[in-house]
Amino acid sequence: MSSATPRPSVLFVCVHNAGRSQMGAAFLTHLAGDRVEVRSAGSAPADTVNPAVVAAMAEVGIDISAEAPKVLTVEAVRSSDVVITMGCGDACPVFPGKRYLDWQLEDPAGQGVDAVRPIREEIERRVRGLLGELGIPAASA
């Protein structure tokens, strides 16, 4: 990361931007505050965030009920330092000099809160690991 970038920018991408990428963005925002610029998007965004995902995140004190799925743009990828794909496959444009991580996670689409919880826990674990790699201490929850 160059000194021209005062804080790292992370983009979470999944197909519908209704579950995994929303949870990733919410955890990173919650744990890093304004020390990281956080975006999420989908290659084929849904109309709304998955209600089971909203409920699962509320269980850990993170409200994403006001979030809305966003379309993935080339500009969002270009302006991010780290791009984390979560099942969007080849739909994500690749630019040189970006760090790409592919997190293989079960898709919570169509599943209830019980099925979403383990996905949520794994995403939180990976986000905490990413913060460590970026050298940013996680805020106490």
Side-chain angles (χ1 to χ4, degrees):
M1 200 168 65
S2 72
S3 59
T5 305
R7 60 186 180 147
S9 176
V10 177
L11 170 66
F12 291 91
V13 182
C14 66
V15 175
H16 301 298
N17 190 219
R20 295 166 289 187
S21 57
Q22 290 284 350
M23 287 190 281
F27 272 123
L28 187 54
T29 299
H30 181 73
L31 295 168
D34 61 2
R35 296 170 293 170
V36 177
E37 184 178 357
V38 181
R39 296 183 184 85
S40 71
S43 51
D47 293 329
T48 60
V49 175
N50 180 333
V53 168
V54 172
M57 293 302 286
E59 289 178 350
V60 295
I62 300 174
D63 180 6
I64 62 168
S65 61
E67 295 298 325
K70 295 169 277 306
V71 69
L72 176 65
T73 64
V74 169
E75 185 49 42
V77 177
R78 185 177 286 130
S79 59
S80 298
D81 299 309
V82 180
V83 179
I84 299 171
T85 57
M86 302 167 140
C88 74
D90 297 330
C92 191
V94 175
F95 292 100
K98 303 290 176 199
R99 180 173 175 204
Y100 290 88
L101 301 172
D102 186 33
W103 291 358
Q104 296 293 321
L105 298 157
E106 188 177 344
D107 188 347
Q111 302 198 57
V113 175
D114 288 344
V116 172
R117 284 186 191 112
I119 302 167
R120 175 195 69 200
E121 300 305 318
E122 178 61 16
I123 290 172
E124 180 181 14
R125 187 187 70 74
R126 292 183 188 201
V127 165
R128 287 181 179 278
L130 175 66
L131 281 170
E133 292 172 24
L134 295 172
I136 297 170
S140 53

